């Protein structure tokens, strides 16, 4: 077995971030033990935790740790004390946005796959959700998230602008087309081209690029329609590509298909660094209570290993998660009426033991 050493930046962040990341690191250690790898972890602060420490949600030291690592594992960001204060000058979320931008993480891959044992945990009917397996490719460093914004002097008006360049659209649509080539060769471009100029640029750019990929069936869908199709016919999607905010909203919606937001991992990639994070937020009400679902973060760690070329290692994590689901080892967001909910650390330990006890 080839032993590999990898340097991983670990950014636990806020709320439940530290607890779920601790479980994912535990799982990585089980993988290291079983496969004979060495992972070196460099911890760094981001979000409200970093504001408390040094007044900056994305400190220079954290940026350096990220750049020096082979991959970044990130928990969650956000603290209610800022949400309820519209005058706050620094916000934890700025840390995440600056990090994405600084590291050039322009693509956020969010796989939405129904885990068979969770079929009856979905609020949607079995026949609707069965077979759901798609990836949303969300543009991550452009659009309204990063456009000019402002508030008028009298505080009575505000604006946010959405801008995209052709180059920004091209690189993300190309990535989505390449991904579709490796999957079922279907791409849905989601926009609001009946209203927005940026969407028309997206559609025109996608049309031109699609011509280079005749094997991929490309269709175009308005975002409002896509929101509906996602919960009525989710299994028709293979790869979905869309701009930053549409992708943010649609993937939270899509997360309910599989029964819980706590199950969805993601990878944020660009030309250099790569960051792996659950799509959910910091769930402050659960912070410190050992009740949050660590699976999205653990599955993000699996995506991280696959990104590092460690496919069997990633698969070992996925198998262990599947085993936990089959055995009903789930947190309260997924528990069946009358059944016991497992703790964050209980789920992590079970997954670790599965990885260590099964032999390749
Ligand atoms: C996400 C989150 C972030 C986003 C927030 C925390 C800024 O909701 O990763 O989806 O909107 O991108
Ligand atoms: Mn979101």
């Amino acid at each position: 077995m080839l032993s590999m050493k990898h340097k991983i930046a670990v950014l636990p962040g806020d709320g439940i971030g530290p607890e779920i990341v601790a479980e994912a690191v535990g799982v990585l250690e089980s993988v290291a033990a079983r496969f004979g790898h060495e992972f070196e972890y460099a911890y760094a602060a981001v979000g409200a935790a970093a504001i408390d420490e040094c007044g900056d949600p994305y400190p220079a030291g954290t940026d350096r740790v990220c750049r020096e690592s082979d991959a970044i594992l990130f928990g969650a960001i956000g603290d209610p004390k800022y949400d309820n204060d519209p005058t706050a000058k620094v916000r934890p979320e700025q840390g995440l946005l600056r990090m994405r931008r600084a590291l050039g993480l322009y693509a956020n891959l969010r796989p939405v796959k129904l885990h068979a044992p969770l079929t009856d945990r979905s609020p949607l009917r079995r026949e609707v959700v069965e077979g759901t397996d798609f990836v949303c490719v969300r543009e991550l460093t452009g659009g309204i998230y990063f456009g000019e914004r402002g508030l008028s002097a009298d505080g009575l008006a505000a604006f946010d602008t959405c801008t995209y360049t052709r180059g920004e659209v091209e690189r993300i649509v190309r990535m989505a087309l390449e991904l579709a080539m490796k999957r079922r060769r279907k791409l849905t471009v989601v926009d609001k081209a009946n209203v927005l100029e940026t969407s028309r640029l997206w559609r025109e750019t996608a049309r031109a690029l699609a011509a280079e990929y005749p094997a991929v069936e490309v269709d175009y869908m308005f975002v409002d329609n896509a929101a509906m199709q996602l919960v009525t016919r989710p299994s028709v999607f293979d790869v979905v590509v869309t701009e930053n905010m549409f992708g943010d909203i649609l993937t939270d919606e899509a997360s309910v298909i599989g029964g819980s937001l706590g199950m969805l991992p993601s990878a944020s990639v660009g030309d250099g660094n790569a960051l792996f994070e659950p799509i959910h937020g910091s769930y402050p009400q659960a912070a410190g209570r050992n009740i949050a679902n660590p699976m999205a973060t653990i599955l993000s760690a699996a995506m991280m290993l696959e990104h590092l070329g460690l496919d069997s290692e990633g698969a070992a994590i996925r198998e262990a998660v599947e085993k936990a689901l089959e055995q009903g080892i789930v947190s309260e967001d997924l528990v069946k009426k009358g059944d016991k909910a497992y703790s964050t650390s209980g789920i992590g330990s079970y997954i670790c033991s599965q990885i260590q006890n099964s032999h390749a």
Side-chain angles (χ1 to χ4, degrees):
M1 206 180 308
L2 187 65
S3 161
M4 301 265 277
K5 192 166 171 169
H6 295 277
K7 217 166 154 181
I8 297 164
V10 183
L11 278 48
D14 305 324
I16 58 168
E19 297 158 61
I20 54 178
V21 164
E23 296 316 315
V25 169
V27 167
L28 286 171
E29 281 305 281
S30 299
V31 169
R34 175 171 151 196
F35 290 86
H37 297 309
E38 202 178 321
F39 298 128
E40 193 185 301
Y41 309 99
Y43 283 78
V46 69
I51 299 178
D52 292 346
E53 245 173 58
C54 66
D56 181 348
Y58 184 57
T62 299
D63 185 66
R64 192 166 52 242
V65 166
C66 289
R67 287 176 197 278
E68 286 169 357
S69 65
D70 299 314
I72 306 156
L73 182 65
F74 165 65
I77 230 165
D79 187 310
K81 77 181 173 213
Y82 298 94
D83 297 344
N84 305 327
D85 176 10
T87 64
K89 287 276 178 290
V90 282
R91 295 180 172 280
E93 288 79 5
Q94 290 164 352
L96 181 57
L97 301 181
R98 274 173 45 209
M99 174 162 68
R100 288 172 177 168
R101 184 82 161 194
L103 301 175
L105 309 172
Y106 62 81
N108 185 217
L109 310 177
R110 299 188 158 184
V112 180
K113 193 172 172 164
L114 179 73
H115 298 271
L118 297 181
T119 308
D120 67 350
R121 302 286 79 209
S122 177
L124 303 174
R125 285 196 309 276
R126 167 180 286 271
E127 59 271 28
V128 172
V129 295
E130 259 171 353
T132 299
D133 179 5
F134 67 88
V135 179
C136 180
V137 180
R138 169 190 174 193
E139 201 289 327
L140 204 58
T141 54
I144 200 165
Y145 271 64
F146 292 93
E148 243 181 87
R149 65 183 96 253
L151 180 68
S152 68
D154 62 6
L156 295 178
F159 67 97
D160 297 277
T161 50
C162 179
T163 309
Y164 271 108
T165 65
R166 198 175 181 103
E168 285 174 319
V169 180
E170 253 166 24
R171 66 183 178 183
I172 189 97
V173 173
R174 189 175 291 284
M175 191 183 283
L177 283 161
E178 291 288 338
L179 181 61
M181 285 297 288
K182 292 186 208 132
R183 294 177 47 98
R184 302 195 306 275
R185 301 191 170 182
K186 210 181 146 205
L187 177 67
T188 307
V189 180
V190 172
D191 61 32
K192 188 72 184 173
N194 50 347
V195 178
L196 303 176
E197 200 60 49
T198 42
S199 284
R200 288 190 278 269
L201 179 73
W202 268 76
R203 201 171 270 221
E204 192 201 305
T205 306
R207 278 230 164 87
L209 267 186
E212 293 177 30
Y213 295 80
V216 180
E217 179 195 334
V218 182
D219 61 2
Y220 301 85
M221 201 181 270
F222 295 142
V223 62
D224 46 352
N225 182 24
M228 180 184 68
Q229 302 287 337
L230 270 183
V231 287
T232 49
R233 303 189 308 148
S235 60
V236 304
F237 295 104
D238 178 20
V239 178
V240 174
V241 66
T242 191
E243 65 94 49
N244 204 342
M245 189 154 80
F246 294 162
D248 179 47
I249 298 169
L250 291 178
T251 49
D252 261 43
E253 184 195 9
S255 75
V256 306
I257 297 168
S260 170
L261 182 58
M263 291 303 299
L264 255 67
S266 84
S268 301
V269 300
D271 296 322
N273 296 279
L275 176 144
F276 300 82
E277 56 174 315
I279 88 154
H280 61 69
S282 61
Y283 192 12
Q285 305 86 332
R289 293 173 55 204
N290 200 19
I291 58 169
N293 187 348
M295 286 183 176
T297 316
I298 291 170
L299 290 168
S300 300
M303 291 183 86
M304 179 175 87
L305 295 180
E306 286 154 2
H307 175 84
L308 294 171
L310 305 176
D311 287 348
S312 328
E313 290 80 344
I317 297 182
R318 292 179 192 284
E319 270 162 41
V321 167
E322 226 52 44
K323 199 57 172 236
L325 296 174
E326 279 161 20
Q327 300 298 314
I329 317 276
V330 294
S331 42
E332 62 173 17
D333 50 321
L334 285 169
V335 87
K336 287 186 195 160
K337 236 198 176 107
D339 279 2
K340 153 171 176 233
Y342 283 76
S343 66
T344 310
S345 55
I347 294 167
S349 309
Y350 179 85
I351 292 170
C352 288
S353 65
Q354 282 302 312
I355 291 171
Q356 275 159 345
N357 296 337
S358 52
H359 291 284

